[in-house]
Amino acid sequence: MGREPLRTLMAPGLPPLAGFWARRRDGSGVLTLPEPPNPAALAPWLAALASTPALPRLHVVLPGEATAVLRYLGQEGFLPRRGRLLQRGWVSLERFTTPRLTAPSLKGAFPNALRATLLFVCRGEEVLLMEKKRGHGAGLINGPGGKLEPGESLLACALRETEEELGIRAEAPALCAELRFLDCDGSKIHGFVYRSQGYRGVLRETSEGKPFWAKRDAVPFWRMWADDRLWLPWVLRGHRLRASFATAGSTLCAGELQVDEGPALGLPPEPEAARL
């Protein structure tokens, strides 16, 4: 593994890999892949790089249309780099080779977590977002949502929050994502994401937020939570997923992503979680 970029990466015991490898002054490594590789061929290279001494962080840059590789890298703990869009052109991902924090497990229960919902209304190639005015995430952009009230179901919470914050009633929302967050201070959030293809009522600005429509390929991720750019593009394209994240305040430190093989195919949220 040298410092000079190579057209074909070669190392003892590893399959040849088309791409470029370089080390930065801060000690991190950059692996640029001009063509989407087979995840099975990429796996031994990532394992070898992660075990390289004094390599605190590993960057992977690949074409944005590499869906299978994106899914694989998400499961291996790679997260989109700050300021880089996930859904267009080239995708730049990063992973700490020695994670500072560990994302919570996606298996089993997630006890003592604050339960909350998000809801995204879609209209063709657009999605309804809002600039949040107060409360958790004030000043950021997100979908309508909030925490469950005592005795409230997930669906009832998603519908209520959307009506309170935007004045509309979402039609036939479908549960499409389960999100688990663990912060370094020990706090937990168990989130459930709904997607709807329509709504009733008159969209309006409220004291909670200011609504606007955005093209799904031009979502302003730089004004959203750091984890949104990892999972929301999948949701807006009709996929279902589970994801978990470790955070330090607004900083995203580690994560895991499990996405279905295709829109509306498999991988629903855990039945136990869906009944909470």
Side-chain angles (χ1 to χ4, degrees), residues 144-216:
K147 63 181 180 180
L148 272 70
E149 294 182 347
E152 189 175 36
S153 69
L154 293 173
L155 179 58
C157 175
L159 291 171
R160 173 183 56 78
E161 290 284 352
T162 302
E163 193 162 6
E164 291 177 354
E165 296 183 348
L166 300 181
I168 59 174
R169 183 79 172 180
E171 293 184 332
L175 182 61
C176 56
E178 177 197 357
L179 308 175
R180 301 185 180 197
F181 298 91
L182 174 62
D183 196 77
C184 62
D185 64 4
S187 60
K188 299 178 179 180
I189 297 178
H190 200 174
F192 298 87
V193 183
Y194 285 82
R195 183 181 59 247
S196 172
Q197 297 297 327
Y199 67 91
R200 301 192 306 273
V202 179
L203 185 64
R204 59 183 174 85
E205 181 177 351
T206 69
S207 60
E208 294 287 341
K210 181 178 180 179
F212 66 96
W213 293 94
K215 293 287 187 180
R216 72 180 190 183

Side-chain angles (χ1 to χ4, degrees), residues 101-105 110-113 179-191 227 243-249 251-255:
L101 292 174
T102 301
S105 173
F110 192 42
N112 304 317
L179 308 175
R180 301 185 180 197
F181 298 91
L182 174 62
D183 196 77
C184 62
D185 64 4
S187 60
K188 299 178 179 180
I189 297 178
H190 200 174
D227 60 275
S244 65
F245 304 101
T247 60
T251 301
L252 188 59
C253 301

Side-chain angles (χ1 to χ4, degrees), residues 5-20:
L6 303 173
R7 290 188 177 277
T8 300
L9 301 177
M10 303 289 292
L14 297 177
L17 187 67
F20 306 89

